[in-house]
Amino acid sequence: MSSGIEAVRTADGSMTLYAPAFGEHYHSIHGALQESQHVFMQAGWQQVQADPVSVFEMGFGTGLNALLTLLAAGGRTVQYTAVEAFPLAGDQWRSLNYAGLLGPAGAAGLEALHQAPWGQATEIRPGFTLHKAACRLEDFEPAAQFDLVYYDAFAPGSQPELWTEAVMARIAAWMRPGACFVTYCAKGSVRRALLAAGLQAERLPGPPGKREMLRAWKR
């Protein structure tokens, strides 16, 4: 899948990647950094008070969501698990400009996150542990439940198999009571799948260029 991937500058000056195999950008062309901050940090991370906090990301991709979480973690203990079926090559993630935008800590964090080995837990810094799984979501089984889910797969039009009621039911089963699920996607079919999984789903204002997004809670 990685063949032909190219870097693209988005409207806020941050870079994303375009994947021809899916006809999709990894982030919004209206602002990659703004989208991740709005959807995953403000609507997700900042709403969850657990410490330690266990985070699951569907779609490690460029590492931007993990990097923002690392930078925001402060003194909180974070166990971060990510599933990625198509890991990027070094020249691909190094073509992004997040390090320059986020300063020395961002540069060091991005390098550490991507250089961490796949398939094992790695301490990125004291209190922040990353476990990257290079596999498809349907082949992944977590070792524990999660407090926060970043659902950042490609859109339903490109990867419909990752947005079904059955998949959302699996994700919901992995969430602890009180856990939060956030995604940039606002399709009615996805909201209905979350509701069918027993989650309380709500529409929120979306990031720049997108009217709405979805957040769901496990009660």
Side-chain angles (χ1 to χ4, degrees):
M1 195 280 291
S2 62
S3 176
I5 285 182
E6 60 184 55
V8 177
R9 188 176 298 275
T10 69
D12 67 358
S14 61
M15 305 295 289
T16 189
L17 297 172
Y18 177 73
F22 290 104
E24 291 271 1
H25 292 87
Y26 277 67
H27 306 285
S28 171
I29 60 171
H30 299 285
L33 184 56
Q34 288 179 352
E35 179 189 43
S36 285
Q37 289 172 328
H38 180 99
V39 174
F40 300 107
M41 302 310 296
Q42 294 171 17
W45 171 262
Q46 293 178 16
Q47 311 307 312
V48 174
Q49 305 304 315
D51 188 4
V53 57
S54 182
V55 181
F56 174 75
E57 181 179 15
M58 173 54 218
F60 181 75
T62 65
L64 179 55
N65 297 331
L67 176 59
L68 292 176
T69 304
L70 175 67
L71 296 177
R76 292 173 76 180
T77 298
V78 180
Q79 291 137 7
Y80 197 105
T81 301
V83 168
E84 177 57 66
F86 308 104
L88 294 173
D91 62 330
Q92 292 165 341
W93 61 262
R94 288 193 177 96
S95 70
L96 303 165
N97 64 347
Y98 308 147
L101 294 173
L102 298 172
L110 189 67
E111 184 80 17
L113 291 165
H114 278 284
Q115 295 287 23
W118 292 85
Q120 65 185 68
T122 303
E123 189 175 69
I124 303 299
R125 65 157 177 73
F128 191 104
T129 301
L130 172 68
H131 182 189
K132 299 185 296 185
C135 66
R136 299 178 303 170
L137 181 65
E138 55 263 43
D139 297 325
F140 177 75
E141 288 295 338
Q145 289 185 302
F146 302 103
D147 303 295
L148 176 59
V149 174
Y150 298 157
Y151 207 82
D152 202 14
F154 286 127
S158 298
Q159 289 188 303
E161 72 278 6
L162 294 178
W163 300 89
T164 64
E165 287 189 10
V167 167
M168 294 304 148
R170 285 191 76 207
I171 298 293
W174 298 349
M175 296 166 63
R176 292 191 178 102
C180 177
F181 170 108
V182 282
T183 182
Y184 66 88
C185 184
K187 283 180 69 71
S189 60
V190 176
R191 180 176 178 272
R192 290 190 293 273
L194 291 168
L195 292 172
L199 302 179
Q200 295 183 352
E202 57 184 336
R203 286 192 172 93
L204 301 175
K210 191 168 180 60
R211 188 163 64 91
E212 293 179 321
M213 58 164 284
L214 287 172
R215 180 169 66 196
W217 299 89
K218 184 170 185 178
R219 301 303 186 188

